[in-house]
Amino acid sequence: MREIKFVQAIIEALEEEMTRDETVFIIGLNVQADPILTPVRLVEKFGTKRLREVPIAEPGILGCGVGAALAGYRPIVHSRFVDFFMPAADELFHKAAKWRYIHGGKVTIPVTFLAGIGGYLGGGGPEHSQCLEGYIMHTPGLKLAIPTTPYDLKGLLKTAIRDNNPTVVLYHRILVGAGTSGLVPEEEYTIPFGQADIKREGKDVTVVATGLMVFMTLQVADQLQEKGLDVEVLDPRTLEPLDIETILSSVKKTHRLVIVDEDTLRCSVGAEIGMQFMEKGFDYLDAPIKRVGAANSPIPGGFMECYALPQPQDIADAITEVLGIKESFQVKPLELLKPGRHMGERLGYGKKEN
Amino acid sequence: MLTKEQKMKLYTNLVRVRKLDEIMVKGVLSGKVCGHWSSQKGQEAVGVGATTFLRKDDYIFFCHRGHGITTVIPKGISPRAFIAEHFSKNSGACQGMGCLHVADMEYGAPGLSGSLGGDFVLAAGMGIAAKMRAKGQVVVCIQGDGTYGRGTFHEAALMAANWKLPIVWGVENNQYMVFTPTSDIFPKENMADLAFGYGMPGVVVDGQDVVAVFEAFQTAIERARAGEGPSLIECKTYRIEPHTYGMVDKRCAGLRSPEEIEPWVKKDPVNLFQERLLKEGVLTQADVDRIDREAIEEMEEAERFATESPAPDPQILKQVLYWK
């Protein structure tokens, strides 16, 4: 095992899969020039045909991914901003998701959509700060992974690229930009979809968190430990398929459930997980489920975003609430999100080596 | 120059497609067709001329009218699979799940976009695959005039031109977008002019003349196979039937006049080609009668096959969403 940064895990997965299978190629804006995601080495190794630079044309970009997949290739469509998948909703939600089904299984679409999600960019505004996993999880036909550690990201991205289904892999922009790191084996590995991971064991309360919220919840959990609260943090890792069984067995032990999800609360991934849980696990609960998520509003621009996006204190308060504790335990804001870093820096485009 | 055999093949395909269209009309009227039928009668020369001599491994996209009838039948999908799909039978091309969405990648036909104009960008992606594979495959993407209003055409045309993808864009200009004349929507007389902004050839052909269509596509296909990039071909034709069969036939707020339709009925592509081949001596009246009879027999047999096929097992709904 060695410690590598988040972005290195992406690059290793891409390089290994492109080396392994010559039908794998990357298409997206700035894929030949992104100073973070595409080191010059990759362009030199695979050439500009396999790192295909595009016009600003999202339906065209995603459509090319689906079309090339229909014709037997394994494209990886990349966007730093999942927000920009919305102009290509037809390609993502109709073509990629529905064409195998509507054609009775006669076509196969092995495309991978890789994109950055999330806010906390310190000024991204409503069209550069979203988490669209709710839309994607809602749409049958798409598989969805949302890894939060370099280990999970590399293993799940490699699985996604090899999968014969259209697959979406979402990474949090802040985790890439801040240069967070983690242990990753030297030797090759993949992680199957549909296996949740317990990121922190605890006996008092289960917190199911996704994306950056896993990171945030772990830091909150460490601080609450000092107050004697033992928090279990569970990361589903993939949302389609969703490993509801692991969530059920965790709550069977803790009897309390908090769901933390950065997306807008209404009809979010957290809402779906909560309802799936209620259908099977109501009897395990000693308190109502509590959800933490973004406000039911667009993400405001500039400094104001902190009022719409979930904060560590919201998570801490939700945990104490389901435990019936009246007192509010103060927790620190997330170090990664401290003010004073401009958006370019938060995305990882600062001058310092990431 | 087309050989005698090639001309016979073009003519036979025109007749086969026409007879299949008639079966589909009957299917709608009898309630056997699940959904609707947008007859392509009078427009057959476009798809038939463009696709009859494609390679099996070439890719095709087609306009919604006829649900691909003029391209997938020449390309090789069987009338049995086409009709059975529309009757929602398990023997259909897509096991009865697609209905109007007929696809079979064995013949390079990946499907029909429900959102009109959605196929352009998929064609660009297949063009990337064809170019990377370097086996000389082409993508022929024929879409209706209305779809060229979509931004997807601009995006796909830009990428295809920039990367010199082996694609032939076809406009099947039947002059109507449901009830709206296309001339109300596009500022110029020829949609082929769209090509020039992308630095690709743009030509206009008589869409009633199957040989003219074939020749224009052949030139563009050879250019694409040679790695010289895409072309745009506008085929001028006309929609004889209402938007979908049995629907009120309007032009803007009023009704479409018989006087407007009549001259185009006289320019029927099957009749025009038949007269020409009889005159050239390629066909005799006996050939005409035989080809007609054989086409009717083929389509009636396919219709019986579809009618007698069982409905799909609902279990399939749980099997095909994901590749397993």
Side-chain angles (χ1 to χ4, degrees), chain A residues 216 219-220 223 226 311-313 316 329-335:
Chain A
M216 194 181 270
Q219 296 201 358
V220 169
Q223 295 171 66
E226 294 162 16
Q311 301 299 329
Q313 192 61 50
F329 297 130
Q330 292 304 302
V331 292
K332 289 180 286 190
L334 200 60
E335 188 74 7

Side-chain angles (χ1 to χ4, degrees), chain B residues 143-166:
Chain B
Q143 301 284 297
D145 39 270
T147 61
Y148 279 79
R150 283 284 301 274
T152 45
F153 172 67
H154 166 66
E155 299 188 6
L158 176 62
M159 290 193 233
N162 194 37
W163 294 328
K164 288 197 179 345
L165 300 180

